[in-house]
Amino acid sequence: MKYSKQVSLQTHNSFSVHSLCPVMFFPENEEDLCQLTKVLPKSFYILGEGSNTLFVGGESPVIIKPNFRGIKITETLENYIVQVGCSENWHQLVCFCIERGINGLENLALIPGSVGAAPVQNIGAYGVELADFCTSVKWFDFATDKLQLINAEECKFAYRESIFKHSLKNTGIITEVELTFSKSWQPILTYPGLNKLPANVSTQEVMQKVIGLRTSKLPDPEHKPNAGSFFKNPVVDLNFFKLLSDKFGEMPHYPQKNGNIKLAAGWLIDQAGLKGIRQGGVGVHDKQALVLVNFESKKGQDIVNLAAYVQQKVFEKFNIKLRPEVRIVLSEGEVNFQTNDLITSGCS
Ligand SMILES: Cc1cc2nc3c(=O)[nH]c(=O)nc-3n(C[C@H](O)[C@H](O)[C@H](O)COP(=O)(O)OP(=O)(O)OC[C@H]3O[C@@H](n4cnc5c(N)ncnc54)[C@H](O)[C@@H]3O)c2cc1C
């Protein structure tokens, strides 16, 4: 199996922070994975393209960067079935499908990252999420050294959630993702920005609209290093929502199937007066307050400190605790992000 020692991670994470990885393994087949389980230390991290990962501290844990490639298409009378290696790039997969008349992923265009990471947080945008198409994932289980299929129900997909963030975390690797697309495609145009498109719009047009909207709103990590939404949109119960709207007036909100209400974290951050603030070379983006940007820091810790400040201010104003979407990785591995445990300096 291929591996490298003392790898700088700056080009392996979209926040572009410095951290040194002692060993990075690049398994590319089942044999490599079996070999890997024999040498795996207690702490390790599985890395895709690092667009949802924040490394904190000078050294990272051992990193596994799988290299499983390939896209296979089969079809039935009604569906296209697409099986994709985990290391393929997500946006390239979207383009690949649309070019071949396989419709469905257009609303998920331009989301950075790898295909293997997509089920982990059930990526979503513009009213569509991976769970709408994912029928199974191929999973290499470290305990048994075997590949197995995990079906969509077992993946326990929810808003930015799946079993891979919980009971299966660090117990194996997603090597392949299977997506199924109905041949009778209907565009999903419910989301603001898409809802003015005509009903007979083409997939290409929807995709171009999504790309246009995203590029106008989100900073490009190439120029302003970031990891997209830093926090998840909080979900509150109806009673609490009523109290909030009595106090703060009309606020963006999205009723959920179970009666709860999803709020817009970016709006809460903006209302807390934090849009555009800067501290320690990092800041809250001036157009989209949900995005934290690394302007000129080398340290993940600076971003953690800012995130903690944002959490504190939003909590003071709304009594809501924002939870991060981004994975925080210390030398001892991924941690559950309680910023208060990680702050090393104040933020004003
Ligand atoms: C500008 C920008 C915009 C974004 N917009 C969106 C958006 O609209 N919607 C959205 O949902 N997300 C969005 N994101 C977040 C990000 O694109 C997704 O989370 C993406 O899936 C991350 O892919 P990655 O390969 O970079 O993951 P990484 O950051 O490398 O890893 C993320 C998680 O997946 C795990 N993982 C990765 N590969 C595997 C594997 N093969 N097996 C098991 N576990 C694995 C990692 O251990 C980690 O827990 C955005 C990010 C950026 C920078």
Side-chain angles (χ1 to χ4, degrees):
M1 176 183 31
K2 290 183 187 140
Y3 67 92
S4 299
K5 287 188 171 175
Q6 302 299 317
V7 183
S8 163
L9 293 177
Q10 201 185 2
T11 56
H12 290 277
N13 71 94
S14 63
F15 266 124
S16 198
V17 292
H18 282 263
S19 195
L20 197 62
C21 166
V23 189
M24 195 184 269
F25 291 107
F26 304 98
E28 53 188 34
N29 52 44
E30 200 176 342
E31 200 186 323
D32 283 351
L33 290 170
C34 291
Q35 214 184 319
L36 185 67
T37 53
K38 296 193 183 75
V39 295
L40 212 53
K42 200 164 153 269
S43 306
F44 60 89
Y45 184 70
I46 303 164
L47 185 67
E49 296 183 18
S51 56
N52 204 28
T53 297
L54 175 59
F55 293 107
V56 179
E59 192 165 287
S60 78
V62 162
I63 284 181
I64 305 168
K65 193 166 167 61
N67 188 21
F68 288 74
R69 302 272 165 188
I71 304 180
K72 191 176 146 210
I73 303 172
T74 49
E75 64 181 293
T76 63
L77 262 184
E78 287 159 358
N79 297 318
Y80 292 107
I81 297 152
V82 182
Q83 290 160 320
V84 197
C86 67
S87 312
E88 296 293 339
N89 174 268
W90 176 262
H91 178 65
Q92 281 169 17
L93 171 69
V94 175
C95 297
F96 177 93
C97 289
I98 305 290
E99 277 161 21
R100 284 160 183 76
I102 301 174
N103 302 329
L105 296 183
E106 54 283 351
N107 296 38
L108 300 178
L110 218 63
I111 297 182
S114 62
V115 167
V120 176
Q121 74 153 5
N122 180 24
I123 56 168
Y126 294 96
V128 174
E129 55 183 18
L130 180 94
D132 299 334
F133 308 101
C134 182
T135 29
S136 66
V137 307
K138 202 181 265 181
W139 173 256
F140 180 83
D141 180 36
F142 291 143
T144 58
D145 268 359
K146 293 236 157 38
L147 282 167
Q148 64 188 76
L149 277 189
I150 300 182
N151 68 33
E153 200 186 324
E154 291 164 334
C155 288
K156 299 203 169 114
F157 291 126
Y159 167 64
R160 300 295 184 272
E161 285 292 353
S162 73
I163 195 164
F164 307 107
K165 276 180 154 183
H166 298 282
S167 58
L168 289 188
K169 186 168 144 188
N170 286 345
T171 66
I173 289 184
I174 296 166
T175 61
E176 190 179 282
V177 177
E178 183 187 271
L179 304 168
T180 300
F181 303 96
S182 166
K183 289 184 179 174
S184 50
W185 171 76
Q186 290 292 325
I188 308 285
L189 305 174
T190 44
Y191 208 86
L194 301 182
N195 54 7
K196 297 213 167 62
L197 290 172
N200 64 350
V201 66
S202 73
T203 330
Q204 284 284 357
E205 286 166 327
V206 177
M207 182 165 90
Q208 287 315 321
K209 184 76 187 173
V210 167
I211 290 174
L213 287 166
R214 291 185 68 97
T215 35
S216 69
K217 281 187 191 162
L218 289 169
D220 179 353
E222 285 288 315
H223 307 291
K224 291 183 178 169
N226 74 86
S229 307
F230 195 91
F231 298 103
K232 295 204 275 189
N233 288 320
V235 179
V236 299
D237 69 27
L238 190 59
N239 289 336
F240 185 54
F241 172 70
K242 281 182 181 152
L243 288 176
L244 285 173
S245 49
D246 283 350
K247 191 165 173 197
F248 297 104
E250 194 54 34
M251 54 170 65
H253 63 282
Y254 310 92
Q256 304 296 287
K257 282 184 195 136
N258 62 4
N260 288 338
I261 308 286
K262 194 197 281 178
L263 303 175
W267 186 88
L268 300 173
I269 297 168
D270 189 2
Q271 294 298 306
L274 301 171
K275 204 185 230 180
I277 63 157
R278 285 205 192 191
Q279 143 98 28
V282 303
V284 177
H285 192 245
D286 56 3
K287 285 201 193 116
Q288 171 48 276
L290 195 46
V291 178
L292 303 187
V293 178
N294 178 15
F295 292 103
E296 52 189 7
S297 170
K298 294 192 165 90
K299 291 190 281 177
Q301 186 66 54
D302 289 330
I303 296 160
V304 165
N305 292 347
L306 177 67
Y309 181 69
V310 169
Q311 275 184 322
Q312 181 201 326
K313 288 288 162 195
V314 168
F315 186 73
E316 280 168 17
K317 188 167 174 98
F318 297 102
N319 205 19
I320 291 175
K321 198 153 196 184
L322 293 179
R323 301 279 175 206
E325 184 180 307
V326 171
R327 322 309 299 160
I328 312 291
V329 184
L330 309 183
S331 61
E332 56 267 35
E334 189 182 330
V335 288
N336 276 336
F337 184 82
Q338 296 299 336
T339 42
N340 292 341
D341 303 339
L342 294 169
I343 309 168
T344 59
S345 72
C347 192
S348 54

